[in-house]
Amino acid sequence: MNWRFTASGSVTETYAIGLLRNMLEIPSASYHEGDLADYLVDAMTDLGFQAHIDEVGNVIGVLERGDGPTVMLLGHMDTVSGVLPVRPIDGRLYGRGAVDAKGPLAAMICAAAGAVDFRGRIVVIGVVEEETPRSRGAMAIRANHERPDALIIGEPSGWSSVVLGYKGKLDLRYTVRCPATHPSNPEPKASELAVACWTALVELLGPDAGHGVFDQPGATLCQLNADLTTATVELSVRIPPGFDVEALVRALRDRLPSGRLEVLNSVAACRVGRADPVVRAVASGIRRLHAQPRLVVKTATSDMNTLAEVWDIPMATYGPGDSSLDHSDDEHIMLSDYKRGIDVLTIAISELAHLPVHSGHPKGVGR
């Protein structure tokens, strides 16, 4: 018996924890995922995957296990910047990416390797640049990879929760230049116009807007650089399903007396129903571990949004870890939750073996 696996074919606890710790030890801030990608190719190959790195830097591992559906598990390798010491303390493993989202990705790799009863094709992907506005890794997958029969996105949901959907996102940049003048001149200054742009956006979204509600938009002033003559402001709006992005951009432009408003990025909201086959499969895994699954929606955005724009297939998001620790200096994962996450995903993959096979090429390309 290979030392990586138990007698039943699942990945050993020692190996699973070691895999995650090794991943945390390799810094992989956005645009610098290459070292982690190289490590994961070797690790996945050792677990029996056919693994390679694609043209944009994504790691793709495939397990061929006979005739049946294709199930894709996709997480991201990149993290926000900033290195945290990797250390185990009282059943917790600390490190940048422990929650967002190396923990979920490691759990996917271990679960896929241990899903020995699955008949079909399992594809595990670690994408690049999820933490950036363009999501270049997921965009490349949706443009170039065959559409699977089911998709699980790896993000921290908590081991006993399933994410049904995410708000979308609209990223804007407003730039303006004004002639040099005395501060007491009544003509508007660039800095004042930048602030007025933010005020206008908030007014257009209305009094009920906010980040705490899934069905309402919420705005963030991300960056402001301004003086009397030049100003640049970057804005982000999290948008609910059905939101009219074009109407908002038109209305905001109409309120700006000068300057240029650019759309940097726009991705639609996504949401699946409770009866979605992936939701049911993951929820079944949670119940098998004697917990009542929570079905939740998120006010942030993930690669689920990017792929849902072109893949009309069963999908949901799942992964161990507390999302309130995303990007924090206290980022850590409970190792007990990590192990439960592997078990839940292993069960979910096996249940998805009963899906009908409708694989084909993606219905759209990156834009």
Side-chain angles (χ1 to χ4, degrees):
M1 174 61 64
N2 190 312
W3 67 270
R4 301 171 187 85
F5 298 95
T6 67
S8 64
S10 62
V11 172
T12 67
E13 179 179 314
T14 299
Y15 181 86
I17 293 173
L19 174 69
L20 177 54
R21 179 160 187 164
N22 290 343
M23 291 170 65
L24 296 179
E25 294 278 6
I26 302 171
S28 59
S30 300
Y31 311 112
H32 301 283
E33 302 95 333
D35 288 345
L36 179 58
D38 290 338
Y39 169 75
L40 287 179
V41 165
D42 290 341
M44 294 170 81
T45 299
D46 286 345
L47 289 171
F49 290 82
Q50 302 170 35
H52 70 280
I53 300 173
D54 72 8
E55 64 278 3
V56 302
N58 298 324
V59 173
I60 301 174
V62 179
L63 292 168
E64 300 282 1
R65 291 186 170 159
D67 294 334
T70 296
V71 174
M72 178 181 290
L73 300 96
L74 183 144
H76 64 92
M77 296 185 292
D78 64 319
T79 69
V80 295
S81 59
V83 176
L84 299 179
V86 179
R87 62 200 193 280
I89 301 176
D90 296 331
R92 301 175 176 88
L93 184 58
Y94 288 78
R96 177 64 69 214
V99 169
D100 189 17
K102 294 180 181 182
L105 178 57
M108 288 178 158
I109 294 169
C110 294
V116 294
D117 294 333
F118 179 84
R119 290 295 170 263
R121 187 169 185 257
I122 306 175
V123 182
V124 180
I125 301 178
V127 296
V128 299
E129 298 177 34
E130 190 274 346
E131 299 285 4
T132 73
R134 300 293 182 181
S135 294
R136 189 166 70 110
M139 293 291 280
I141 294 300
R142 83 180 200 181
N144 302 318
H145 205 285
E146 287 190 355
R147 183 172 59 223
D149 298 298
L151 172 67
I152 303 176
I153 297 291
E155 291 282 355
S157 61
W159 83 266
S160 61
S161 297
V162 188
V163 179
L164 306 183
Y166 289 85
K167 278 187 176 182
K169 186 171 68 163
L170 172 66
D171 294 320
L172 302 170
R173 178 189 292 142
Y174 174 60
T175 55
V176 62
R177 293 180 179 275
C178 297
T181 187
H182 192 274
S184 64
N185 189 317
E187 290 297 313
K189 319 302 185 295
S191 53
E192 296 168 349
L193 291 172
V195 173
C197 176
W198 165 249
T199 302
L201 175 63
V202 171
E203 290 175 351
L204 286 169
L205 293 178
D208 295 327
H211 290 297
V213 182
F214 184 77
D215 293 323
Q216 292 290 335
T220 299
L221 199 166
C222 300
Q223 188 172 19
L224 174 62
N225 297 308
D227 57 24
L228 299 184
T229 59
T230 62
T232 301
V233 59
E234 295 195 356
L235 312 163
S236 183
V237 185
R238 303 290 176 157
I239 54 178
F243 188 84
D244 193 336
V245 168
E246 293 183 359
L248 175 66
V249 173
R250 284 197 305 269
L252 185 56
R253 282 184 173 136
D254 288 344
R255 291 201 180 196
L256 302 174
S258 60
R260 181 186 181 196
L261 182 69
E262 304 171 78
V263 176
L264 302 179
N265 185 48
S266 178
V267 62
C270 64
R271 183 171 185 170
V272 300
R274 292 169 173 260
D276 182 280
V278 174
V279 174
R280 292 204 309 266
V282 177
S284 176
I286 295 168
R287 291 191 185 94
R288 291 265 293 273
L289 269 63
H290 312 294
Q292 180 62 35
R294 294 178 61 246
L295 306 182
V296 301
V297 291
K298 295 280 191 175
T299 56
T301 305
S302 79
D303 279 337
M304 182 173 171
N305 301 72
T306 302
L307 295 169
E309 284 190 318
V310 297
W311 287 354
D312 184 15
I313 57 173
M315 67 174 68
T317 293
Y318 175 79
D322 179 356
S323 61
S324 70
L325 298 173
D326 290 4
H327 305 181
S328 76
D329 291 338
D330 189 41
E331 186 172 5
H332 65 271
I333 192 166
M334 296 295 298
L335 289 174
S336 58
D337 290 351
Y338 171 57
K339 290 179 282 187
R340 290 188 187 103
I342 294 171
D343 291 340
V344 169
L345 285 167
T346 303
I347 295 167
I349 293 168
S350 296
E351 296 219 353
L352 291 170
H354 304 297
L355 281 175
V357 178
H358 296 302
S359 293
H361 292 285
K363 62 186 179 183
V365 298
R367 58 186 171 89

